[in-house]
Amino acid sequence: MAWEPWTGCYPASDGCKYCYFYGPYSKRYGQNTVVKTDEFYKPVETVYMPNKKITKYKLQSGKTVNTCFATDFFLPEADEWRAEAWSIIKQRPDLTFLFLTKRIDRFTVSLPDDWFSGYDNVRIGCTVENQETADFRLPLYISCPIKHRWIVCSPLLGKINLSPYLHGVENVRVGGESGREARVCDYEWVLDIKQQCANAGISFIFDGTGSHFLKDGIIHNVNPYRQKSFVREMAIDM
Ligand code: SF4
């Protein structure tokens, strides 16, 4: 399930150019003002069950909560709300909160006092799209106290050497860019990252080819419904 305590975003780097949510062909294009949503308290909302005379959380225990997937948890505009968002996360140790960020350089902003080595129920993923963003974000990322780490190379815009940054990472996910003006994703870059993961002994998932996928010397134009099945046929996850 998704939890968007705030909405609105704007580009952090080149990987945002055709953002699914805020890019030039997206429904939320132009929504760059960051605002708190009316689902801010969603994970801790309760419901009274008259039959059993108990109050329980609406959101069932054991769920994974995709947090801020349509914005960025570490946006500066959300600084004033983040402490309360952390306290909501802490109240639900029975849920797993999954984050992705392109702003790991702001990780230490509004960290709770009892964060220490990280909350068990929080998985923070760092997104990088090329070597430049990898070399800027990942040294910071691996220095942050986070219990569960994953790296997402999406949209993959070039060959990336992740090897110096894979220690302590649980998995790496890779995907091409989607959309009419999507930049090409080269299968050789994907295989190269897979090999780096194999060398480091961590799991690797190829999520999608993107719209323009270079393989065997041919650029395949892949419609959105075909991108995942194309990947499944290649069967390179491990
Ligand atoms: S950080 Fe994420 S949500 Fe924000 S513009 Fe970039 S891709 Fe879109």
Side-chain angles (χ1 to χ4, degrees):
M1 66 144 297
W3 178 39
E4 286 187 66
W6 42 87
T7 184
C9 199
Y10 51 86
S13 58
D14 197 29
C16 299
K17 187 171 183 183
Y18 300 114
C19 170
Y20 179 79
F21 297 105
Y22 304 99
Y25 305 109
S26 307
K27 275 190 192 160
R28 303 188 200 193
Y29 180 61
Q31 291 183 30
N32 303 126
T33 304
V34 181
V35 293
K36 204 171 171 182
T37 66
D38 57 8
E39 62 172 55
F40 189 87
Y41 297 100
K42 187 173 177 179
V44 288
E45 281 174 358
T46 55
V47 58
Y48 181 66
M49 318 260 310
N51 298 347
K52 298 182 181 172
K53 294 193 171 62
I54 58 164
T55 300
K56 63 172 207 169
Y57 285 123
K58 285 185 186 169
L59 198 54
Q60 283 177 4
S61 191
K63 298 266 187 205
T64 294
V65 182
N66 295 337
T67 306
C68 287
F69 271 35
T71 177
D72 195 316
F73 190 72
F74 296 105
L75 280 168
E77 290 77 2
D79 285 357
E80 61 183 300
W81 310 314
R82 197 172 301 101
E84 193 173 14
W86 281 129
S87 95
I88 289 169
I89 289 166
K90 192 181 171 192
Q91 284 175 62
R92 294 300 310 266
D94 55 323
L95 301 175
T96 298
F97 292 85
L98 210 60
F99 295 82
L100 269 179
T101 185
K102 285 186 169 69
R103 293 175 171 86
I104 198 66
D105 53 309
R106 305 201 72 258
F107 171 76
T108 50
V109 178
S110 313
L111 265 191
D113 291 341
D114 61 355
W115 177 262
F116 306 121
S117 59
Y119 290 167
D120 282 331
N121 64 334
V122 173
R123 299 189 68 210
I124 298 180
C126 185
T127 307
V128 298
E129 66 265 28
N130 53 27
Q131 193 66 52
E132 185 187 353
T133 50
D135 289 340
F136 173 64
R137 292 177 192 152
L138 296 179
L140 295 168
Y141 182 56
I142 58 176
S143 72
C144 294
I146 297 169
K147 282 209 170 135
H148 303 283
R149 300 172 195 275
W150 47 306
I151 294 174
V152 176
C153 301
S154 179
L156 184 62
L157 300 180
K159 188 170 178 174
I160 309 180
N161 179 16
L162 293 176
S163 301
Y165 314 119
L166 291 177
H167 181 70
V169 170
E170 293 175 0
N171 64 59
V172 173
R173 306 183 77 106
V174 171
E177 189 168 52
S178 289
R180 68 184 85 170
E181 293 191 47
R183 291 156 285 186
V184 170
C185 176
D186 188 331
Y187 190 45
E188 293 301 319
W189 305 338
V190 177
L191 290 177
D192 184 54
I193 292 175
K194 176 187 171 172
Q195 187 58 51
Q196 294 172 45
C197 292
N199 295 345
I202 61 176
S203 78
F204 165 90
I205 297 167
F206 186 21
D207 275 323
T209 59
S211 298
H212 306 301
F213 184 54
L214 176 60
K215 183 173 184 287
D216 303 327
I218 299 167
I219 294 181
H220 302 264
N221 297 318
V222 192
N223 78 48
Y225 305 104
R226 173 86 174 108
Q227 291 174 18
K228 282 200 180 291
S229 58
F230 198 167
V231 157
R232 275 198 299 276
E233 287 162 20
M234 286 177 264
I236 61 168
D237 291 356
M238 57 178 204

